[in-house]
Amino acid sequence: MSEVMLHQTQVPRVAAVFDDFLAQFPTPAAMAAAGPAAVITAWGRLGYPRRARRLWEASCVIADHGWPDDLEALPGVGRYTARAIDAQVDDVDVVAIEVNVRRVAQRVAGAVLTDRAAEEEARRVGGRLRGRDRLLALMDLGATVCRARDPQCSSCPLRARCATRGSLPGEARARQAPFEGSFRQRRGVVLAALRRGPSAVADLDADALTSLVTDGLAATDGPIARLP
């Protein structure tokens, strides 16, 4: 759950809701039985509510069939999430590439890397570290020292090996569009209303509601809209 929650979301926001969320859904079976509406409601304003829907769908698969050998078989679980869980839970010696690990790998290599190339570079940079320790070390290094802006190169343990020693030319820096006035905000307003209870379709933003229904985050019964 923490890996899914932390996608594009700051740690303090996740930490504020994680314990209550885990208490409400302590096992995949408990989440599956609770239904999507309960999970979407508990997700609250954590952001990217489709993740809540996918988390519930994954819990249903696990409850019915057990944990798959390949976690990417679960709804909403991609290569990074699967490998990060394997490394952190079971200390499997795999490399998971998220934004901080990628930044470290690319700056040390001095080149923009594909996912697979970044994995190999991270393995090389990690030296004798493996699995969980390598993932967390490189992630923390990227978050606190090899930062996107104002990297602290003088205190970096990889300085002597780094080809860049600063920002990589052409380094992509994703910027999210402003939330205020966006369609995401409109969807959020409708979803917040549905968390409070069923609402008249006529009272809701039609385009936002249609989008939520398409994503499995809302449903309509004639003139009434509700959580699924």
Side-chain angles (χ1 to χ4, degrees):
M1 289 199 299
S2 65
E3 277 299 331
V4 173
M5 287 179 166
L6 285 164
H7 288 182
Q8 297 179 287
T9 304
Q10 295 176 334
V11 172
R13 292 185 62 197
V14 174
V17 302
F18 184 77
D19 287 345
D20 288 342
F21 199 88
L22 185 60
Q24 188 169 348
F25 311 111
T27 65
M31 178 176 286
V39 179
I40 293 167
T41 298
W43 193 265
R45 298 183 62 82
L46 195 56
Y48 302 97
R50 275 179 290 190
R51 291 180 296 171
R53 173 77 193 200
R54 298 295 176 265
L55 197 58
W56 173 76
E57 292 172 357
S59 74
C60 291
V61 173
I62 296 166
D64 290 342
H65 305 290
W67 287 91
D69 292 333
D70 181 358
L71 295 178
E72 289 188 64
L74 295 173
V77 175
R79 183 175 176 84
Y80 164 74
T81 301
R83 293 168 77 85
I85 292 170
D86 282 341
Q88 294 182 82
V89 175
D90 296 320
D91 200 23
V92 178
D93 192 23
V94 294
V95 179
I97 297 296
E98 49 83 70
V99 63
N100 293 300
V101 177
R102 177 184 295 280
R103 186 185 310 115
V104 172
Q106 292 190 152
R107 286 178 176 176
V108 172
V112 175
L113 304 173
T114 64
D115 287 349
R116 301 302 174 92
E119 288 173 2
E120 290 305 311
E121 182 65 18
R123 187 181 294 276
R124 186 183 69 82
V125 169
R128 290 175 294 184
L129 297 177
R130 66 184 303 282
R132 181 188 303 113
D133 289 343
R134 179 176 54 228
L135 173 62
L136 297 181
L138 294 180
M139 193 182 297
D140 286 350
L141 183 67
T144 63
V145 178
C146 190
R147 303 182 299 207
R149 295 175 178 81
D150 189 28
Q152 305 298 298
C153 297
S154 61
S155 60
C156 181
L158 299 177
R159 177 178 173 81
R161 303 165 56 187
C162 184
T164 307
R165 296 184 185 177
S167 298
L168 179 68
E171 190 173 79
R173 293 179 181 173
R175 292 180 180 271
Q176 190 175 64
F179 180 72
E180 193 67 29
S182 68
F183 191 60
R184 289 185 296 124
Q185 184 183 43
R186 290 166 57 190
R187 280 168 51 103
V189 169
V190 173
L191 197 57
L194 298 183
R195 287 194 188 100
R196 293 191 292 270
S199 301
V201 170
D203 294 338
L204 302 173
D205 181 321
D207 290 339
L209 176 60
T210 297
S211 174
L212 291 170
V213 171
T214 299
D215 287 343
L217 298 172
T220 57
D221 295 320
I224 302 298
R226 56 174 175 79
L227 292 180

